[in-house]
Amino acid sequence: MLLENKTAVIYGGGGAIGGAMARGFAAEGARVFLAGRTPGKLDTVAADVRRQGGLAETAIVDALDASAVNGWVDSIVAQTGSIDVSVNVISQDALFVPLLDMPVADFGHAMDKVARSFLLTAQAAARHMVKQGSGVILNFGGSDPTNSSPGLGTVQVGCDLIEAMRRQWACELGPHSVRVVSMRTGGIPDSMPDLPEMAPYKQKMVDATLLKRAATLDDVGRVAAFLASEHARSITSTQVNMSCGALVD
């Protein structure tokens, strides 16, 4: 068990990516705490984890509310004794608009949400991780420095913003043996709605890879569990490329 007796918190735990990570962590022995704003989605993921023999708890937490985030994390540490993994995969305000046409207020609101939620959730975890001398702050999405696709609007810029913060967090937390890592993908087709109109977009993701297959939600869970474990103890301040060759380093 890679994560036996470890505690993992996931903001956005009711979503496809958060759920995949929850299942991956729990399968390796972690106790997972899922936060979000939609009880039904959180309960579905937690029930799935429990059916597979894992431990999962849920809470309604606004990742933009400092007191709510810190209070939730503090309560978890009081209950379990540690926080070993922290993941923030709350949804972005995705505005696929050329920057030339981007409403300034909308752009500012989207960037504020990205920056504040990542800062707040990382701070809440880091306070405890520094004291215990261990921990992993894991991010999903990554950044593509070779991007040449117009119209990505707030999504590309938001990912780049998080990566800049990830680098700063990593150098500040490294002396305390706390690692900060991102997972970089070229898209996860089975995280998208199973609708006929989505099929061309999913196929495009597959066609862009060198392996001619895209990463799956199961892959997300397995890679996340590895990165959160001691087997990845030498990995920090970097993006782990799991794009099946869609994004070539």
Side-chain angles (χ1 to χ4, degrees):
M1 288 290 204
L2 294 179
L3 300 175
E4 189 171 11
N5 298 321
K6 300 294 186 180
T7 301
V9 299
I10 305 174
Y11 302 87
I17 300 300
M21 290 188 178
R23 288 185 285 272
F25 293 155
E28 293 295 343
R31 183 175 182 179
V32 296
F33 291 80
L34 311 175
R37 295 184 299 175
T38 309
K41 292 182 178 180
L42 292 170
D43 291 341
T44 296
V45 174
D48 192 25
V49 168
R50 293 168 188 146
R51 275 195 298 271
Q52 298 177 33
L55 299 174
E57 298 184 31
T58 66
I60 305 303
V61 180
D62 182 354
L64 294 172
D65 184 329
S67 61
V69 169
N70 283 298
W72 183 58
V73 171
D74 289 349
S75 70
I76 292 170
V77 173
Q79 180 179 350
T80 67
S82 69
I83 177 170
D84 304 293
V85 187
S86 179
V87 184
N88 181 349
V89 285
I90 70 168
S91 60
Q92 287 194 34
D93 291 342
L95 301 174
F96 294 98
V97 179
L99 294 180
L100 184 63
D101 303 319
M102 181 73 69
V104 174
D106 292 346
F107 180 84
H109 178 77
M111 292 301 101
D112 178 73
K113 180 179 179 180
V114 169
R116 283 203 297 141
S117 67
F118 185 54
L119 183 63
L120 284 174
T121 57
Q123 283 179 336
R127 287 189 297 107
H128 294 284
M129 291 176 175
V130 166
K131 292 177 183 178
Q132 64 197 34
S134 64
V136 180
I137 296 174
L138 186 61
N139 177 55
F140 181 85
S143 177
D144 179 12
T146 67
N147 171 56
S148 59
S149 301
L152 294 181
T154 61
V155 176
Q156 182 66 51
V157 179
C159 287
D160 291 341
L161 171 58
I162 290 177
E163 288 308 287
M165 296 176 73
R166 181 262 300 162
R167 288 189 290 270
Q168 188 63 31
W169 270 119
C171 68
E172 293 185 8
L173 296 178
H176 304 283
S177 297
V178 177
R179 299 187 290 112
V180 190
V181 186
S182 295
M183 296 166 62
R184 181 184 179 205
T185 81
I188 310 295
D190 61 345
S191 70
M192 301 169 68
D194 190 17
L195 301 171
E197 57 266 33
M198 300 303 295
Y201 298 99
K202 294 181 180 183
Q203 189 59 49
K204 186 176 181 180
M205 291 179 186
V206 173
D207 293 341
T209 70
L210 296 180
L211 297 177
K212 298 309 172 188
R213 57 176 173 80
T216 66
L217 287 172
D218 284 344
D219 292 327
V220 169
R222 293 189 187 102
V223 173
F226 165 74
L227 292 174
S229 77
E230 280 298 296
H231 285 290
R233 63 193 297 269
S234 61
I235 300 175
T236 194
S237 192
T238 191
Q239 301 182 105
V240 173
N241 189 335
M242 55 170 293
S243 70
C244 295
L247 304 173
V248 180
D249 294 324

